[in-house]
Amino acid sequence: MTSYPHTPTELMPPLGECALLLDIDGTLLDMAPTPREVWVPPELATALGRLLRLTHGALALVSGRSLNDIDLIFAPMQFPAVGGHGAEMRLSQENQSVASHAPPLDAELKRRLAALAKLSPGILLEDKGYSLALHYRLAPHAEQAIYDAVSAIRADLPNAPIEVLPGKFVCEIKHAGFTKATGVIELMTHAPFKGKRPVFLGDDVTDETVFAIMPGMNGLAFSVGRHAQGVAGHFGEPRDVRSWLSQLVTT
């Protein structure tokens, strides 16, 4: 098992000098049977609000969820965010405009992909416009069938600019060319993030693109739930992350 010489707290720069970038599902929040069933503990919302102030606005949620979905989960609070694996971005609480970096998926492709939800009861379809996700936490036995069917569709459309993202009990199909990493890179070129040292926490395969770019940005990355390659440290589970964030605002 990987061991780390320092704790995340020991490695953290002063909050006023860092940009805190946080994945949501599996990092801040415990996984739930369906995406709509996640729960935001009140103490987490309080800690995030305080950290937003202590970082002078340089706190962003970085998620595969759409910005609209993120806002519904954390309502009534609203945070800067990179949504849809880099497809959308909001730079501040006050700025209501959303920058979109991805066209919607082709309608016929979406229809073909959506039909895969019929492979088994329990497969849940999530249409984000620029991507489509098939959640199978309630039908784990269907994993191979889903990926085989997606591969068959891609074989029929070899020139389609799409990418398949495997996640925790989810298969997501999106336009190629944008990732959480491309979103973070752009985010860090804008105030109040520009010039800050990025600190990213993530848990899933889709977060590895951000883990990979942190060294080149003089940043820090911490994995959650697993010992990912190239990170500076590790949290056991989301409740450990929530506890750490609460400690940051009280020290």
Side-chain angles (χ1 to χ4, degrees), residues 1-163:
M1 179 177 292
T2 304
S3 61
Y4 302 98
H6 301 285
T7 68
T9 301
E10 291 171 333
L11 293 171
M12 276 290 289
L15 287 173
E17 300 175 9
C18 76
L20 200 52
L21 312 175
L22 305 168
D23 174 53
I24 297 175
D25 296 277
T27 297
L28 291 178
L29 304 182
D30 299 304
M31 301 298 289
T34 70
R36 295 295 182 189
E37 294 181 70
V38 296
W39 179 66
V40 178
E43 62 272 18
L44 172 62
T46 298
L48 291 176
R50 291 177 178 172
L51 287 166
L52 187 65
R53 293 190 294 273
L54 292 170
T55 58
H56 309 296
L59 177 148
L61 304 176
V62 181
S63 177
R65 291 180 181 264
S66 68
L67 291 185
N68 183 64
D69 201 18
I70 294 170
D71 290 347
L72 289 174
I73 293 170
F74 286 92
M77 301 185 73
Q78 191 176 73
F79 297 96
V82 173
H85 301 287
E88 301 176 300
M89 186 178 302
R90 180 174 58 228
L91 296 173
S92 70
Q93 286 181 302
E94 295 76 20
N95 186 356
Q96 295 300 313
S97 63
V98 173
S100 179
H101 304 282
L105 282 178
D106 175 77
E108 177 59 26
L109 173 61
K110 284 175 70 171
R111 281 193 290 270
R112 292 184 64 178
L113 292 169
L116 302 187
K118 299 177 181 178
L119 287 171
S120 174
I123 299 176
L124 302 178
L125 179 68
E126 183 183 9
D127 184 356
K128 302 178 184 180
Y130 45 78
S131 70
L132 191 145
L134 295 159
H135 298 271
Y136 53 91
R137 183 170 291 274
L138 300 179
H141 59 276
E143 177 179 15
Q144 190 61 52
I146 291 171
Y147 281 97
D148 287 347
V150 170
S151 295
I153 292 173
R154 293 188 73 188
D156 285 345
L157 303 168
N159 296 320
I162 57 174
E163 179 182 3

